[in-house]
Each structure stands twice: as C-alpha cells, then as structure tokens.
Amino acid sequence: SFWEGGGGGDVPWPLGALWCQGVPGLEAGDITQKGYEKKRAKLLAPYTPQIQGVEPSLQKDNRIQSLSQAAPPGSKHNKSRATNTRDERFRSDLHTEAVHAALAKYKERKMPMPSKRRSVLVQSSIEACTPPDTSSASEDEGSLRRAGRMVSSTPYQNHPAPNVEHWFNRVIQGSSTSSSASSTSSHPGGRGHATTAVLADLMAYTQIDNHSAPPDVTGLSEHSLHADRDRPPVASVKVVPRGYNHSSVMETADGVPVNSRVSSKIQQLLNTLKRPKRPSLREFFIDDFEELVDVQQPDPNQPKAEGNQMSPLAGEPLGVVTNWPPSLLASLQRWGITQPRSPCLTALDNAGKPVYTLTYGKLWTRSQKLAFTLLNKLSTRNEPLLLPGDRVALVFPNSDPVMFMVAFYGCLLAELIPVPIEVPLTRKDAGSQQIGFLLGSCGVTLALTTDACQKGLPKAQTGEVVTFKGWPRLLWFVTDGKHVVKPPKDWHPTIREANNEIAYIEYKTSKEGSTMGITVSHPAMLAHCHALTQACGYTEAETICNVLDFKRDAGLWHGVLTSVMTRMHVISIPYSLMKVNPLSWIQKVHTYKARVAVVKSRDMHWSLLAQRDQRDVSLSSLRMLIVTDGANPWSISSCDAFLNVFQARGLRPEVICPCASSAEGMTVAIRRPPESGVPPPGKAVLSMSGLSHSVIRVDTEEKLSVLTVQDVGQVMPGALVCVVRVEGTPYLCQTDEVGEICVSSGSTGMAYYGLPGMTKNTFQTIPVRASGGPISGRPFTRTSLLGFVGPDNLVFIVGRMDGLMTVCGRRHNADDVVATALAVEPMKFVYRGRIAVFSVSVLHDERIVVVAEQRPDASEEGSFQWMSRVLQAIDSIHQVGVYCLALVPANTMPKAPLGGIHISETKQRFLEGALHPCNVLMCPHSCVTNLPKPRQKQPEVGPASMIVGNLVAGKRIAQACGRDVAQLEDNDQARKFLYMQDVLQWRAQATPDHALFLVLNAKGTVSSTASCLQLQKRAERVAVALIEKGRLNPGDHVALVYPPGIDLIATFYGCLYAGCVPVTVRPPHPQNLATTLPTVKMIVEVSKSVCILTTQAIMKLLKSKEAAAAVDVKSWPMVLDTDDLPRTKRLQIYKPPTPEMLAYLDFSVSTMGILAGVKMSHAATSALCRSIKLQCELYPSRQIAICLDPYCGLGFALWCLTQLVLMWCSREILVPPLDVYSGHQSILVPPLELDSNVSLWLSAVSQYKVRITFCSYSVMEMCTKGLGTQTETLRLRNINLSCVRTCMVVAEERPRITLTQSFSKIFKDLGLSPRAVSTTFGCRVNMAVCLQGTSGPDPTTVYLDMRALRHERVRMVERGSPHSLSLMESGKILPGVKVVIANTETKGPVGDSHLGEVWVSSPHNATGYYTVYGEDALHADHFNTKLSFGDTQTVWARTGYLGFLRRTELTDASGERHDALYVVGSLDETLELRGMRYHPIDIETSVIRSHKSIAECAVFTWTNLLVVVVELSGSEQEALDLVPLVTNVVLEDHYLIVGVVVVVDPGVIPINSRGQKQRMHLRDGFLADQLDPIYVAYNM
C-alpha cells in the first residue's frame, strides 16, 4: 500500500491501493515492462496448463504489428473504415488475458443452441438449413380450420436442391438424441419417418391427480402400437394404454422420453440448470397469503469503506488577468476590430483540404449581419418574430463549423439563446422525438440552418421542411450570405457585461432516453473559458486541432468559446473526414504545427489502425493532447497504445492529458500540461469486486477481475470538488469509497430548462458531513461522474451514472461489462464499437442486457459459441449474470449522430420489441434470484375443525341449486314422455306439419327442412334398414358419421326406434385425412360400434386409397349408406324396459387430448331436455338459431333432442336439436359454413327475428375478427340484432370475458343489447350445469387477485387493481341441478367465495364413462361421490373444474337471493409450478398482451420447465423480439421463469371445435419436432 517513486515522495494512503508511477525511460504512466511480466505471470499462474491455445499476450512489438495488420495492406486511406473495426476504447491486454484465463476455468459447457427456421438465418449454410417441410400442419379432432398458411421453402442459394431422401437419411442416421449432435446443429431436424414415430412414445403424460381426468379409452394393444410404428403419427389422440412400457423407446433422462432433438436440447438445458449456482441470497419469509418479492439482503462479508471522511478539494484560485474582457462578446468585438486578419477557424472538406478560413474580422461582421437580420427583418403581421431572450434552434451539419460559429455568435449578439441540435436526417432518427420535445418545451419557433443542409432535409409535398415526429412547427431560416442584410451604419449590437441571463442551452440525453436542455449563463460561460485558459495554459494565436463535435461539450468549450476568448486558430476536423481518413487529425497537427489537439480515445484508436500508411508525420509540436473522454476508465488502453506507436514520431508521454467533464458540471478536472509543475500522473489497479460495493480496494494479485484506471488530473481552477454517496442523502464519502463527484464553481451549468424539480436535485445539492451539517454554504452541482480523489489530489473516474447498473445491491458499470465482452475474441463475430450494455427493470431488480452487432460473415454456430463465452466471462469477472444477450444484424442498431451507439434508443427498442435481433440468449434462471419462496403445502385441518370453522366464521357452505323441476311441470306428462322416440311419435301425430328444423347453407338459403312427420318417416326407414340390412340387435352400438344436417338427426332417432345405441362422430376432413381419420377410427373402435351409418360420399372416403395411408381400411365394421332408403311398412318401435337404459354415447376429446365417452340414459336425456326447455322458455311458436357442432355435449343436445321437448308447446332454426322435445323451430347453421360466409349466423338471426341463439367461442371469435370492421356494411344489408334477447356461448371453460365484451361492443351498432350475451357451462359428467336462460338477473362480474388464486384462494379486489383478473358468472344453474364446492383434497364442502372443485347433482348427469377396460370402479367417484362431512347422503358427480359460489345482492325469479357460480378453470389443465397452481389461460393472456405481433399463445410444462408457444402474426424478423418480452412479462405477472420460448406461424396451435386450445397435442407436436417453428429459444 504505497505510492512509489517520482515527484510525490512516499505518500502513505489508507486505501492500500497499488499505485504505479512512471519511471524515466519507460512509458510514462505504465508499470515497468518487468513489473508487467511479473504481474502477468502471477495472475495467470493458476491457469497456465489450461490456457494453451489462447492467443499469446500482445507485447509491445506484436501489439503494434497486430494493430497495424487490421488495416488492409496498400489502402492509402483505409477506405473500409466505416464498416471495419472501431473503437479500441476498451482494449486492455491484461484484461483480455484475465478473461481468457477465466474462460479456461469453465469446462466447455454444452448449452442447447436455439433452433431457427432457415429463412430466419443470416446467410445460413446448407447444413444449417431445416429440411423441406413434407408433412401438413396437423389438425386435431375437428379443429375449425384456422387461417392456414403456405410455407414456401426458400430456394437454396448456390446449391442444387437436395432431394427429400437426403433429409430423411440425414435424420435417420444422425443421432438426433445425442446432446452433442443437437448442440452443434442449428436445424430443428427433418420430418422423416424416424422422427415421426408414434406419438405415444413421446407422451410422458403424467396426470397431476386423478381429480377428474376421464379414463384413457384408446384400447390399442401393445401389438397394434408396434405394428403402427411405420405409419405416420396419430397426432390427434393420446394412445398410451396402461402398462405399456416406455423404456424401449426412451433414452431415460429422469424418466422422461427423449427421442427427438427438441427433447434432447431440453435435456441439455436441464443439465445446465442443475449445475450448482452461486448460493442464493437469503430467502425471505413469505406470509402464507402474500408473495413478497424482496430486495436482496446485503452480504455481511462484503467489503466496507474504512477510510476517514474526505475533505472537499479546492482547485487553484482563478488568476487575475488585467485585460480580461467583461464578456465573451466583448472579446469577440476586440479581436474583430483589432485583429481582423487573424485566423479564427479553418474548415476542411472530406478530402482533408482547407475549404475556408474564417478570420476574426469576418466572424465579427458576419455575426453582426445575422444579429441585425434576426432582430429586424423577420416579422409576422408587422410584429417582430423574435424578441431578446427567445430560444432559437441551430441545425448545422458537423462539416460546417464556420456557419455554426457565425450563427452562434449572431444569436448571442442579438440577445437570443442558441439551442444547438443535430441535423434530423429522417423522420425516425434515434432520439429525434426527444429533441423535438426539448424544442417544444423551450418554445423554439425558428431554426437556423445552411442552404445545403436545408435542401437535404426531408420535404413535405408543399416543398416545406416536414414536421419531424414530436417536433413543434418551426420556421426554417437559411443563414447564408444572400439571406442576411448588412446593418445600417448607426446600428450597433449592445455588448453588456456578463449578466445572469442564459447564454445558450446545451442538450443532454439522460439514461432513460429523455432529452434535457442544460442552461449556461453568460458569467458561467465566461468563467469556464477563463478556467480552461488557465488550466491548459492557452496563449494568443495558438493553433488548436479540434476533432470533436463543435456543437456541444468539449468541442464547443474549446473550439468555439475559449478559442475566441484567447484568439486561437482552430482547425476543425469533421466526423465525415475521420471516417474516410482516420489519420487526418494527426496530419493536420503536423501541417499546422498545432500546439493542442482535442480528441476522444476513439480518434486515437482509429489512427492506430491506419498509422502504417503514414511515415512522415511528427507530433513534436503538441504540448497538450486533451483526451476528453479520459473519464471512461477504459481510455487508458487507447492512450497507452497510442503512445507506444507515436512516441517514435515525436509524441512526448507527458503531453497526454485526460480530462473529466459532464454537461452539468462542464470541465471538472484536467491533467495539466507538463510545464505547469504538477505532480506526475498516476495509475490504480482496482478490484472490480470492491468497486461493485463502491469501495476502493487494490487488487489482491490473484483475482482476475481488476480495473486499471488513470487519473484525470487536478480539479479546475476556482472549483471546489467533493465526492458524495450515490443514493439518498448526499453524505460525503470516505476516502476509500467511490461516489458521485460534485463541483461548486462559477463555471457549471445553471439548470435543466423548464424542469425545476430535477434542477434542484442536480444543480443545488448541499453535501453534508456524517454529522449532518452542510460542508459549505455554496450549492454543488452533481456531475454524474463516479470516482474518488487519490493521492496528490488527483481525481480518478471509474464510471458514469448513465452507465451504472445496480443488480442485487451491487453496482456495475456498463463500460466495464462492454470491455469484458470485447475481450472474448470478438473480432470474428461482432463489431468492436457497436455494443450496448444497459439494464432493464424486471421483477423489482435491474437486469443486465448486452446487445451487439453481428458480422454478416459470422456463422450461427460461432456466434452462439461467442455468446455463451461472453456470459461465462462476465459471470467470472464481474460476478453478475447477464439476463439477455442479443445479436442484431450489422448496421441495425440506432446510432448517435456522430458515431457510437444510441444506448437509450437501443434500450427503448428492446423493451418495445423493435430491435429485431438475429440471435438471443436469455439467462433468467441464473439471474433472477429474488423470486418468492416456493409455496409449501400446509398440513390439512380435519373435517371437524373445518365445519366448526365454517360455523364460527359464519360462512355459508357453498351450495346452490336451480329451480325445482317437480313444481314447474306436469309430472304425468313428464312420466308419459320418458323416451325421446315416444316424443317424436306423439309429435308426428299431434302436429305432423310443424316444421322442426331449417338447415342453412353458406349462401344463407335453406338447404333442408324437416317437419315432425317427415322426421318420423325418415327415422323409421333408417330403423328398418338397421334391422333388415344390418341385422342388428337391440343394444348394438352404431356410429353415425354425417356432416351437420337433417340426416344426422333422422338416423339418431332411427337408432332409437331400432333399439340401437347411436354414437355421433364428426366426419373426417377430406383435405386432412392423415390427422382427422384416425380419430374417427378410434371412436368407432373404442365405442365398439358394429355398424357405421353415413352418406355415399363419406363411405367412399372411408375406403379410399388416401384413407388407407392413414388407417387400416379393411378393419372398418359394416358401413351402410342412408342416401336412398326404400319406403317401408310401419315399424314396431323398440320400447326400453327401464328409463335407466343407455340411450346414446357421447364421445369427445378433452383439451388434454384424452378421448372420453360418457353414457347417457333415457331418463337423463329427457331430464336434460326438460331442464333446458324450462330455463329458456322454449315453446312451439319460438324460433331459436343454433351455430354449434352437433357431435357432443350441449351442442349435440340442442341439435338433436330439445326440439321435440316442446311437445306440448315449439319451431327451431338449426344452425340445428333440443327441438324434438320442445317442439320449437330450430334454425341450424353449421359452423363450417362460416368459413365461406362469416356473416351467415348473424344474418339468419336477423332474418328470422330470433330471440334465443346459441354459438361457440370459435364462432364468436370469427365474427369479432372477420366482421369487426364491417358493421356499417352489415347495417346497410339491414342486419338488425335488436330481436336477440339471449345469445348464449356454449362452453366447457372459464368465460372468455374479453371476447364476449368485444363481441357486444362491436355489434352494439347493429342493435345487439349489451345484456344479451352470456355463457353456459357444461362438462363431461353433466353437459348443462348453467345456462343464462331468459329470466333472472344479468350475469355478474367479479375481480380476483391472481396472486391469491395461485395459492388456491379467492380474494376479491376492486376493478383495475394490479394483478387482478375479471371473472364472469357462467350463467344460471339449470332447474333440477344442485351444485356444491368441495375441497379437492379433503372432499369436504367449503364456504361461500372459497375455491374448490365444482360438484354437481342432477337428474341429467351422465351415468358413467364408457370404457373398454372395465375399470369403471377407478372412475366411479367422478359420477357418484359423496362429501366427507356435512351432507354425506347426496350423490354428486365431480366436474373436474375449479370454481366458487358467491351469494349476490340480486334476487332470482323465485325471489331468493341469487347464488352465482364462477368457473375458474379445469383442474387437469392447471400447471403445478413452484408449489402453486397456475391456469394456463392467465399466463397466455399476459403473453399475448406483451407484443402486438403475438396472435395466439399456448403454454404447457415439460419436466418442470414452462414452455411458451407463441404464434407470430408479423414478419419473421420480429420472431426473436418476442423472446425477452415473453420472459419479462411472465416473470413480472406470474413470478415464473420461462424455460423455452417457441415462435411458430399463425394457425399452428391446435384448436378444437369448441374453440379450446389443445395444449397436449401441441406439446406432443413440439416434442416430436412437428411444429416447424420459426425459432426455439432455450432460456438458460
């Protein structure tokens, strides 16, 4: 702990930091070569054996060589500069070696590489391509076809297209399950026969609980499964018979089948996640109710500051100069009159030739002309346009310093306030909108510019300059000679002493991207010039070379203001010249014998790359090389490298003068020129880990993570500097603590224009001592520089507030992270100068994001390798995880006006999903350490205490029932018509000509009708055919395979007449036999149907060649077509011996992909019809429109049964059948017809003046999306929906409130009452539990806390509360139905407004599952179960849905208070994650909200990983934007980490006929590599 050698003597210092100072004869400011070697050897000793093959350290000689090789040989001016490497700011050999050593510690981790579709790859090679897609998109049972997609394979570039066999062979040979193959191949694999083995092998389907999952009834023996091995997959139904052993097809990974590339990658991901992480910080105690995400607790062992409190540091006093001018303008006037020929500014063109030299005389006269013109010649309605004190925008290109200088001084002379800004080139420049906001808030109405610049600005059609986005309306004034007027002899500008008015406003972009205007007063401008002149020792007529932007910052201070104060000659080097010839500034220093050059470290680095081209330059004239970004800790490497090369060309080491400045504090500190007798410069080698805790610790020599910083010299003359804590009260720091530098002097900014609150915080800070007393009466300005004061009162800067990222309570600097990323052999993969590091706030902490531009020639593989190495390097060096690393295509990151990356705009685009990366790697698993603790299940309380608890708490038990059927109905009548066939017979006699059904086609015309008598006659013919042709016996099962229509209804009754049991089956889709036909086959087999009734067309299809490819067509049972049945004699109708006998079987595939058939008895069937008739008040005069599929559930009942119920009462418009029972007329609209005519259903409702209509969510969604913009057209077609009293959505899920509200809102214009739309609820055990009906109160909506819901609790919150979920009542409970809510584990009743499983008891419950296994006992409790306490007598059926009952304030028809049933979701579908229960729909809703291009989303889990599949509706370049947004939103809203994000085309997520997502089919398709995803991202 010492300060060695040189001028300072031995200065003991409490920090114990290692300071090295130059020894004569070596590079000043570096450690000795010997010391360097020694330090390097010691640092790398532990890793020497592993580090073979890492690039050798770049010693002095080979450093020069390798740097110079970067310039293409022979190119005179290195023309490729603009696209070539940039920015050696962050170069540090020691750091590079440290990074490589750190990486060598890591074994090569196998990280799963993301899968990308070919078209998304950047210049992919043939090996990296996805094979051509040879399979069609799978369609599950009866999915309504969603907007399909044609994927045209892009032709291979420069390669003959390989044949399909080539891909198949590759897939079959390649061991797609081996982790090495999948981690190194970027194609998602072919669709060969090998990968399309039967899905059963991949199902790994684990039932969470036997809550109410129906049995798996796909009775395929093991033998038949193996026989199918060669056939394409049966993608539509799960086929895993019990006892079937997976092990034969499994490479076991924790008992999970992995026989596709996707699963092996997931396995890799799991392996990566299993590695022990850094011990997580202290867990927080979680109150059982609240999930607390808390700030990480500080580590007790972290280093703490131990030094004394620092004392404020004063710069030397400002010298008194006798002839110092009273203001800057007085100085301009003096030189303009006394030294008119003296050169002031030389402008260069892009070839480096001097274009124009502005003399002091010219500057004076031209500024006067402009001032006179602005004040006197610009007017509106005879009023002068500008008054003294008005703000004026200066819009000048960087290549025209002369015009800018004239305009700047012209404004000052006219007492106007110049606001210099960048030239807006397009309407969408990065940050342009914020600049517009600044101009608006400053009240700018006039912009000054040059003629050439004005011509180049984008124009509107009128020829005027367009108004840029977010900008106020501006008048553009060109300041070229012909537009300005010579003032009369008697006009003189007023030149006052510097008063406290604003002189100019300099813009600054904050970390968040907002643009602020910093006001600088006349006295501050003058004092700053004075301080710079004194600190830099400027003298009259010196030549200064300015490479910086002259509009702001050091370029303005040195090159426009101070130069005029001391009559210097400025050579201005434009950015455009530097891009063409990076050596230009050195050549100009040589040509003009410049004494001072003002540069950035970037300019030094650029010139290093090109320096071989130029032998004959000398820098011996320089007495100061001011490095204005010396405050960037990484500038030291550029300074050292530059000195190494140019010392041979006359550059003296002591000439390099880094300085620190900020827009608020102006110049804070600068290293003085050697002649001023200051102490020699110093260096510090600091521990990065210490810095992250804001403590200065010298590196302990073993650590790899060090930061070497150089000083930025002494405090400015006349200034008082102190260092204060970054957050909270501005306490003075201790001597070994890093804080924000504050300065108090006459030469700082004054305020943020128009922002008094922020101004007070920044420009009027009062630093306080530990005791609480202020250190001085003067206010201080916060400079946003982070640093400390070292020995010899030298100021050291280690970062800026803008780049500060506080993660888990530790501070990291963006520049340091950039340096580490660039030390990982970046040249091959990314551009050096184009890398942005920033933090985003996710889940109450900052998360680090790294974005870099990828080279076009970088391979996918190489880039991914580089990315994973960067993650490891940053983790090792900074001990912090990177949340997201994204690579974007070359030249797509938003640029700042003069080179460099526009960080805040990049961040903005990242958060908006507009960055369009070509590679993304997210690491939430390792970064997010502040998730709430996983929930532990509490030991259950016993039933006794539970029931007592209910009574004590005064909670009503959650039980409710519909109206009593017995009181509502003539029981004789009910007994008389227990059988549907009797009802039809009675109707045919009583009202033979009453039209029961009208079926509409796509054109809206009636395609078929049926009266009672016609239906009876057709049914009889079918019955005769079954008995005589089919030789069937009573009780035989018959499959009815018909499209929606009268045939289906007639054959159903024909089966009942013959005593057979009908099974309705959706016909296969002719265009998609491969996926729809196996479902038909399976239902026929599982239901043990001995005969199939169908049409001739479908009969041909079932036996066609195409069908033979999908199923074994020889094994169909007998197939009869019913198209032309002969007229028959009267038939003896079969009478079942008891009403409990089986009437029909109802088969459907659940959303979990399980095929389940339920048994419906005659008694249940007639009870169902009676209940619906009473609830909806259906009478023979009524018409109802039905737009549902007629194959299962309530849809089937409404089509085929209820019409007859209005026996003593109705007519139905089949959209089609409750009709038979009720006798109302049904207008039947088959939903498939809506594909070709979306408005069909609504037109029918309007045309027939229908009061009651039923539809599905799919239909409602089609109408909302397809007709949303066409309501005006529909109105013109006289479609009027005011007749509709009730529109019910038939569903087996939680009500989709957003969809129903959108539907109501859109069609309100067509007269639809907002009260009309409601939902129903049914399930397998009871197809109609709730139905809104025509009377009773409107459905109510409640708002629940989603966080409580995860803990299986119901907590009501106000509408609009954060984390709230709106839930609509599922309709009124039907007559005769009783509902109770039971605890899923204790099976006991729960209280009102408590969550549990919905149990139902009613005469129309199904009687059981129809299974082939005879395992009825296993599932008996789904249909007859009893409560464990309370009412233990009633027999209930378990619905398998979670929900709750809530007594409302409303009254129902009977005058009782109304009990509302709220269905939350299916138990089978819930995801158990982190001990909590999630409903997929909630996560999906959050995801869809996160980006405008997400059309649909589905989630499922696989091996405890959450997989999110999103459909991308935008262009494919947006695919990777979704990955971070999806990860963020799920973390924020649900406290879950997404494991895999899969981006697919629209229409890939399978949806069944009820509009429900088939998440399990999707999961199977994903694991079998059948989704053809655009991109698959594995979050690490």
Side-chain angles (χ1 to χ4, degrees), residues 75 87 519 1046 1171 1312:
S75 69
D87 219 348
T519 58
I1046 305 289
S1171 194
L1312 180 68

Side-chain angles (χ1 to χ4, degrees), residues 1381-1580:
I1381 308 294
N1383 183 304
T1384 49
E1385 278 152 17
T1386 63
K1387 308 280 190 288
V1390 300
D1392 186 88
S1393 298
H1394 279 55
L1395 193 68
E1397 186 181 3
V1398 179
W1399 289 11
V1400 57
S1401 170
S1402 107
H1404 62 255
N1405 276 8
T1407 50
Y1409 285 124
Y1410 181 78
T1411 79
V1412 263
Y1413 300 122
E1415 288 179 352
D1416 299 358
L1418 262 178
H1419 300 282
D1421 78 328
H1422 288 190
F1423 292 90
N1424 36 40
T1425 189
K1426 294 182 178 176
L1427 290 170
S1428 58
F1429 58 89
D1431 165 13
T1432 53
Q1433 296 313 303
T1434 311
V1435 174
W1436 302 92
R1438 298 172 56 186
T1439 61
Y1441 283 80
L1442 283 172
F1444 60 94
L1445 279 164
R1446 177 171 169 266
R1447 179 149 281 188
T1448 63
E1449 298 302 314
L1450 309 169
T1451 49
D1452 57 26
S1454 59
E1456 299 287 316
R1457 274 177 66 190
H1458 168 62
D1459 291 314
L1461 173 64
Y1462 297 92
V1463 175
V1464 176
S1466 157
L1467 260 169
D1468 284 342
E1469 289 217 320
T1470 55
L1471 311 173
E1472 290 265 356
L1473 292 163
R1474 311 190 72 249
M1476 290 173 276
R1477 197 189 285 283
Y1478 288 88
H1479 293 269
I1481 185 70
D1482 296 329
I1483 300 176
E1484 289 158 2
T1485 306
S1486 297
V1487 169
I1488 289 172
R1489 209 183 53 228
S1490 68
H1491 193 277
K1492 63 181 187 308
S1493 296
I1494 298 179
E1496 187 53 276
C1497 165
V1499 303
F1500 52 84
T1501 52
W1502 196 74
T1503 60
N1504 285 335
L1505 286 178
L1506 179 64
V1507 181
V1508 177
V1509 180
V1510 291
E1511 290 184 355
L1512 172 70
S1513 62
S1515 69
E1516 283 191 359
Q1517 63 168 6
E1518 289 182 295
L1520 282 82
D1521 284 317
L1522 307 182
V1523 178
L1525 296 185
V1526 166
T1527 309
N1528 290 359
V1529 78
V1530 175
L1531 256 174
E1532 287 274 2
D1533 289 2
H1534 305 280
Y1535 303 159
L1536 289 177
I1537 293 177
V1538 176
V1540 185
V1541 181
V1542 187
V1543 184
V1544 295
D1545 295 295
V1548 167
I1549 295 172
I1551 285 198
N1552 67 14
S1553 56
R1554 301 187 291 279
Q1556 295 165 308
K1557 295 172 198 167
Q1558 301 287 88
R1559 296 182 183 90
M1560 284 305 124
H1561 285 334
L1562 182 68
R1563 182 173 103 155
D1564 299 339
F1566 169 67
L1567 294 178
D1569 269 340
Q1570 292 170 342
L1571 301 185
D1572 184 25
I1574 299 170
Y1575 192 78
V1576 182
Y1578 301 94
N1579 285 350
M1580 313 307 290

Side-chain angles (χ1 to χ4, degrees), residues 785-956:
L785 296 169
L786 298 171
F788 57 93
V789 176
D792 285 335
N793 291 340
L794 293 172
V795 178
F796 286 84
I797 305 292
V798 295
R800 303 181 75 90
M801 290 292 288
D802 293 353
L804 192 65
M805 304 177 293
T806 307
V807 183
C808 296
R810 288 173 58 223
R811 299 195 176 108
H812 303 276
N813 211 287
D815 286 335
D816 301 345
V817 177
V818 169
T820 302
L822 287 180
V824 186
E825 19 159 48
M827 309 302 278
K828 303 176 196 160
F829 307 110
V830 297
Y831 292 103
R832 280 200 83 87
R834 305 191 203 162
I835 188 160
V837 172
F838 50 86
S839 61
V840 294
S841 177
V842 181
L843 198 67
H844 312 294
D845 200 359
E846 300 282 295
R847 315 283 175 198
I848 294 179
V849 178
V850 180
V851 183
E853 280 194 8
Q854 180 176 339
R855 291 178 170 281
D857 49 356
S859 69
E860 286 292 302
E861 192 76 17
S863 299
F864 183 74
Q865 224 54 51
W866 180 78
M867 290 164 86
S868 34
R869 288 171 68 89
V870 167
L871 295 177
Q872 292 163 0
I874 293 172
D875 187 73
S876 181
I877 301 268
H878 304 276
Q879 281 89 51
V880 67
V882 173
Y883 178 67
C884 176
L885 175 49
L887 297 184
V888 298
N891 290 317
T892 57
M893 268 165 94
K895 305 285 186 296
L898 296 181
I901 298 299
H902 200 295
I903 305 279
S904 55
E905 183 77 11
T906 306
K907 175 175 172 174
Q908 193 55 36
R909 288 190 194 177
F910 173 80
L911 291 172
E912 286 169 359
L915 202 55
H916 308 329
C918 51
N919 255 314
V920 167
L921 196 50
M922 303 269 316
C923 302
H925 291 281
S926 54
C927 289
V928 180
T929 53
N930 62 338
L931 283 173
K933 211 172 183 173
R935 175 179 170 222
Q936 305 295 320
K937 287 273 167 76
Q938 302 301 323
E940 278 305 334
V941 287
S945 55
M946 182 98 148
I947 201 149
V948 169
N950 276 334
L951 300 173
V952 171
K955 279 277 183 207
R956 218 177 50 81

Side-chain angles (χ1 to χ4, degrees), residues 1248-1265:
Y1248 293 96
K1249 306 254 181 300
V1250 171
R1251 292 181 67 180
I1252 299 173
T1253 180
F1254 293 88
C1255 70
S1256 66
Y1257 280 126
S1258 319
V1259 167
M1260 193 169 263
E1261 193 163 19
M1262 283 171 87
C1263 293
T1264 308
K1265 286 183 177 165

